[in-house]
Amino acid sequence: MGSWAWGCITDFFTYETTKSVVVKSWSVGIINRIVQLLIITYFVGWVFIHEKAYQEIDTGIESSVMTKVKGFGYHHNKVMDVADYVFPQQGAGVFCIMTKLIITENQFQGRCAESGRNFSCLTDEDCHKHYGSVLANGAITGVCLEVFNKTRGQCEIEGWCPAENDAVKVKPMLDVNNFTIFIKNSIRFPLFDVTRGNFPTSMTSEEIKSCTYHPENNPFCPIFRVGDVLSYTGQSVKSLADKGGEIGINIQWKCNLDLSIEKCVPQYSFTRLDAPFAKNAVSKGYNFRFAKYYKTENGTEFRTLHKAYAIRFDVMVTGHAGKFNTVPTLINLVAAFTSIGLGAVLCDVILLNFLKGAEQYKAKKFEEVSEAQIEATMAQSPGSQLSLKRGMKSSYDSGALSLDTTDQTV
């Protein structure tokens, strides 16, 4: 027990130092240089040039978006302007352009027959199962009302009557195709106190009114034609007008502040956000309801209910800015130099496990020296060295041990 404890103590109080063994092998040397070259290429090409790891990055972009829609269309035999078909009217980054409207006029509070086919009935008991249903146009009373010229009746509701019938066929407003959207986007990178806008400050009012965005011919024009935006996503007004849809307009800012600030410009991309549900049988497209309220001469309230199908536009702003900084540059340089040592690790694995003469390499690479050996060496004449076998050379400059592959046993 005592010898075991003493052995643990002596093993603990030891010191390890690096011993250089020069292996003259073409195969190992080529592998070592190829690995080092790949690591250097990765850090120079990808890390520093592509990813710009020498820069300090600001991803906390601050953004403001204002929008305006212009255009006229015909729907329900009347001309529709911006106040009729854009919701909300405040010009926010999320807005809708109505394409189809189902109108239920003169609704008063009272009791009437539900219009949905799922609420047909023969007896009152058939309506009891619909108590508390959120799919009806009002509160189910449990009474089955007879419907003229039909064998089955409809369950009675209490609420706004007559009930809405959204199964009616209404021709959508296809004039939306030529409507235009004006987008004004201002951004700021707080870390560098840099502010930019999505169109040049030198652009005049006449230029803005006459231009239309095109990704190649006019990439900085803030006026977007609705038909063009939909075509960039692979859609059309005809395919979206009947049920509606959701379109994303992404404004991306990638700014290299080591270059001129004038090169910090936006890039636009477009996508259909509800694409996963485009082919669904239910919950397809985009719609919402709103009502306009009135009063009769005697003070009775009534309303006109609108169910609007619309194309919803979400203007999203993303981006980052980078500028040279000493700290990330030094960190990545240290990581690069450290990673170059992976070539030596790989070569050690090959030499210690796969190459002929691996045992001889292990014997030269790992050597245990005790104090007794050191004292015995010191007792020899000054300047003498530990004995070396023939074919092994020692370098007086670096203390490296050279091992020629011709001396390895086969």
Side-chain angles (χ1 to χ4, degrees):
M1 183 67 180
S3 60
W4 177 82
W6 177 252
C8 290
I9 294 173
T10 55
D11 288 341
F12 180 75
F13 291 102
T14 57
Y15 169 71
E16 294 180 0
T17 185
T18 304
K19 178 180 179 181
S20 298
V21 179
V22 179
V23 180
K24 295 181 178 180
S25 169
W26 278 96
S27 58
V28 177
I30 290 174
I31 293 174
N32 181 42
R33 297 309 178 194
I34 289 177
V35 172
Q36 289 178 343
L37 180 61
L38 290 175
I39 293 172
I40 293 172
T41 303
Y42 166 76
F43 273 94
V44 173
W46 178 262
V47 176
F48 284 98
I49 296 178
H50 186 272
E51 294 296 317
K52 297 180 176 58
Y54 56 86
Q55 290 183 334
E56 184 179 13
I57 304 298
D58 183 6
T59 58
I61 185 173
E62 299 173 352
S63 171
S64 174
V65 175
M66 188 273 288
T67 59
K68 285 184 180 180
V69 180
K70 288 188 177 182
F72 298 94
Y74 288 90
H75 194 51
H76 285 286
N77 297 321
K78 63 181 180 180
V79 176
M80 308 282 284
D81 62 14
V82 176
D84 297 317
Y85 60 73
V86 174
F87 306 91
Q89 287 83 8
Q90 290 82 359
V94 178
F95 62 94
C96 305
I97 299 179
M98 186 201 69
T99 58
K100 188 174 76 171
L101 198 61
I102 297 176
I103 302 175
T104 307
E105 296 181 315
N106 301 325
Q107 284 188 318
F108 290 84
Q109 282 286 324
R111 294 192 175 193
C112 58
E114 172 60 71
S115 60
R117 291 180 298 177
N118 294 333
F119 295 91
S120 63
C121 59
L122 292 174
T123 63
D124 291 348
E125 285 73 19
D126 293 335
C127 298
H128 294 170
K129 63 182 179 180
H130 296 299
Y131 277 136
S133 174
V134 297
L135 301 178
N137 288 298
I140 298 293
T141 64
V143 177
C144 182
L145 298 177
E146 292 184 6
V147 179
F148 179 72
N149 262 351
K150 288 189 178 181
T151 57
R152 296 179 64 88
Q154 289 291 120
C155 294
E156 183 186 59
I157 61 167
E158 183 175 6
W160 291 99
C161 293
E164 177 194 63
N165 181 15
D166 59 0
V168 296
K169 298 295 183 179
V170 177
K171 185 178 179 181
M173 183 172 61
L174 301 180
D175 304 279
V176 173
N177 193 65
N178 294 317
F179 292 176
T180 59
I181 305 170
F182 169 68
I183 300 177
K184 185 168 72 173
N185 173 224
S186 59
I187 59 102
R188 176 175 177 265
F189 292 106
L191 184 62
F192 306 115
D193 195 25
V194 171
T195 58
R196 296 291 291 163
N198 66 318
F199 57 90
T201 55
S202 59
M203 183 174 283
T204 64
S205 176
E206 289 72 18
E207 289 175 332
I208 291 179
K209 290 178 181 179
S210 61
C211 76
T212 302
Y213 170 84
H214 188 276
E216 296 178 359
N217 300 332
N218 211 346
F220 303 126
C221 177
I223 305 294
F224 299 81
R225 182 174 168 271
V226 172
D228 294 338
V229 172
L230 297 181
S231 67
Y232 296 145
T233 66
Q235 308 295 321
S236 66
V237 170
K238 288 184 178 180
S239 64
L240 296 179
D242 191 54
K243 293 295 183 180
E246 298 176 61
I247 302 297
I249 302 176
N250 185 44
I251 307 176
Q252 188 176 49
W253 295 84
K254 289 185 178 181
C255 298
N256 184 358
L257 300 182
D258 293 327
L259 305 177
S260 171
I261 191 65
E262 297 302 322
K263 294 186 178 181
C264 179
V265 294
Q267 293 180 333
Y268 298 93
S269 60
F270 310 88
T271 183
R272 182 173 181 181
L273 299 177
D274 64 334
F277 310 103
K279 297 182 179 179
N280 282 18
V282 295
S283 190
K284 182 178 180 180
Y286 178 77
N287 65 78
F288 59 94
R289 290 176 173 84
F290 64 96
K292 295 180 180 180
Y293 294 86
Y294 311 91
K295 283 189 177 181
T296 62
E297 292 181 357
N298 62 5
T300 303
E301 186 180 49
F302 68 101
R303 74 177 189 180
T304 298
L305 178 66
H306 302 77
K307 182 177 182 180
Y309 292 86
I311 302 175
R312 168 175 162 161
F313 294 88
D314 289 25
V315 182
M316 302 165 287
V317 181
T318 58
H320 63 267
K323 193 174 185 179
F324 174 80
N325 190 283
T326 307
V327 174
T329 302
L330 292 177
I331 291 174
N332 285 282
L333 281 174
V334 171
F337 290 129
T338 304
S339 300
I340 291 176
L342 293 175
V345 175
L346 178 61
C347 291
D348 276 347
V349 172
I350 295 173
L351 284 169
L352 292 171
N353 298 279
F354 304 107
L355 205 65
K356 293 181 179 180
E359 293 299 325
Q360 184 181 0
Y361 176 72
K362 289 180 183 178
K364 304 307 177 186
K365 181 173 177 61
F366 304 107
E367 183 177 359
E368 185 176 308
V369 181
S370 64
E371 290 185 359
Q373 289 175 309
I374 296 174
E375 291 175 356
T377 304
M378 293 294 293
Q380 299 176 11
S381 59
S384 65
Q385 300 183 19
L386 293 175
S387 60
L388 300 174
K389 293 181 180 179
R390 182 176 60 84
M392 293 166 52
K393 304 172 184 179
S394 104
S395 170
Y396 289 93
D397 296 328
S398 63
L401 187 66
S402 178
L403 180 62
D404 199 323
T405 53
T406 57
D407 298 317
Q408 299 176 4
T409 59
V410 179

